[in-house]
């Protein structure tokens, strides 16, 4: 694919790459996204998923919240080609940060070290009363997990009606401002304020990788329409060919 070859060349020339991603990055690991035709928001529940995943719903109906959370979000998965390629770019000294809207923790599992998790992660959990931290295993208790102090435990994720963490946002903005290449992947760019962070980019090239069109396509220098793991696999192959060509 010509656009993958173009992006491979830009990656070769870039010194400070930042990746901004969404749910589409993890679909090839078997996780559902939210807004596609077969995404979570199109499934039928007693309450709309957007309502279930709100702070007010969590407080008034924790049993139903945790039923949905365990069934749809607290699922095991392994990093796919996209996660692994991004971790490799970081190890090469090319990529300085991953900024993700996902809460699955797969970027860290793949080996990425600098990850800004805008919406938190299912890997961290804490008591709402005493703030004691708990592992993921605790979250499987029914009807919902209770701390030794009697307080209710919640996942360290940003629910609807809640603000993003200031330190995480500041770190993400700084990374985007300093990047010379911004790769945006697996996101429809409709969730704010997270999607608005890409406007802090002042670098040279924006590459957008998503299966469907987004509102920012016209702002991108390179647009790739395919599965992100498939695209990164092709780009990795192109990079290897370019490195081989340099050697000979």
């Amino acid at each position: 694919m010509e656009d993958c070859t173009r992006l491979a060349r830009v990656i070769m020339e870039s010194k400070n790459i930042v990746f901004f991603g969404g749910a589409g990055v993890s679909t090839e690991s078997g996780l559902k996204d939210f807004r596609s035709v077969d995404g979570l928001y199109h499934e039928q529940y007693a309450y709309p998923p957007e309502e279930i995943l709100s702070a007010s719903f969590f407080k008034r109906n924790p049993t139903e919240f945790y039923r949905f959370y365990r069934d749809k979000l607290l699922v095991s998965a392994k990093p796919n080609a996209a996660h692994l390629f991004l971790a490799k770019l970081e190890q090469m000294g090319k990529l300085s940060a991953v900024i993700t809207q996902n809460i699955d923790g797969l970027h860290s599992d793949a080996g990425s070290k600098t990850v800004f998790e805008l919406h938190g992660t299912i890997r961290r959990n804490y008591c709402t009363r005493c703030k004691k931290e708990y592992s993921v295993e605790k979250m499987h208790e029914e009807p919902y997990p209770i701390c030794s102090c009697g307080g209710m435990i919640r996942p360290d994720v940003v629910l609807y009606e809640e603000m993003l963490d200031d330190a995480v946002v500041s770190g993400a903005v700084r990374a985007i401002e300093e990047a010379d290449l911004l790769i945006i992947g697996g996101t429809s760019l409709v969730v704010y304020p997270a999607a608005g962070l890409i406007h802090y980019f002042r670098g040279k090239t924006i590459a957008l990788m998503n299966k469907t069109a987004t509102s920012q396509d016209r702002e991108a220098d390179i647009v790739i329409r395919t599965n992100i793991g498939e695209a990164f696999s092709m780009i990795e192959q192109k990079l290897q060919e370019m490195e081989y060509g340099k050697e000979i």
Side-chain angles (χ1 to χ4, degrees), residues 35-188:
R35 291 175 173 78
S36 66
V37 174
D38 58 350
L40 288 180
Y41 287 174
H42 288 87
E43 295 187 11
Q44 299 299 314
Y45 295 93
Y47 304 89
E50 297 99 321
E51 182 180 352
I52 296 174
L53 295 175
S54 68
S56 56
F57 188 91
F58 172 77
K59 292 177 181 177
R60 73 173 183 268
N61 196 342
T63 299
E64 187 66 19
F65 171 90
Y66 271 106
R67 189 179 73 83
F68 178 89
Y69 180 75
R70 284 190 293 264
D71 186 34
K72 298 300 179 182
L73 299 180
L74 199 63
V75 294
S76 61
K78 294 182 179 180
N80 61 50
H83 301 105
L84 296 172
F85 177 69
L86 291 167
K88 185 176 294 185
L89 282 184
E90 184 183 53
Q91 293 165 8
M92 294 167 57
K94 287 281 187 181
L95 185 138
S96 60
V98 168
I99 302 167
T100 180
Q101 300 172 79
N102 297 341
I103 62 174
D104 51 47
L106 293 181
H107 284 293
S108 296
D109 288 350
S112 291
K113 304 300 181 185
T114 304
V115 183
F116 295 100
E117 296 169 314
L118 296 175
H119 297 148
T121 174
I122 62 173
R123 306 296 174 80
R124 295 191 303 268
N125 309 278
Y126 65 93
C127 173
T128 55
R129 180 185 296 175
C130 72
K131 308 306 178 186
K132 180 179 178 181
E133 296 182 359
Y134 284 91
S135 67
V136 171
E137 288 70 29
K138 180 72 172 177
M139 308 307 282
H140 289 281
E141 291 185 358
E142 296 188 11
Y144 48 81
I146 296 295
C147 176
S148 55
C149 77
M152 185 162 56
I153 301 168
R154 64 160 287 173
D156 190 8
V157 299
V158 180
L159 302 175
Y160 287 107
E161 304 167 351
E162 294 182 329
M163 302 289 289
L164 302 186
D165 182 271
D166 287 341
V168 174
V169 171
S170 295
V173 168
R174 185 165 57 252
I176 292 173
E177 287 178 331
E178 296 174 353
D180 55 9
L181 167 61
L182 177 63
I183 303 175
I184 303 168
T187 173
S188 54

Side-chain angles (χ1 to χ4, degrees), residues 195-221:
L197 299 185
I198 66 173
H199 299 299
Y200 286 95
F201 181 67
R202 298 292 181 268
K204 185 178 180 181
T205 307
I206 295 179
L208 204 159
M209 312 168 72
N210 200 51
K211 290 175 66 175
T212 58
T214 78
S215 61
Q216 298 300 311
D217 285 7
R218 286 183 291 181
E219 305 299 322
D221 302 285

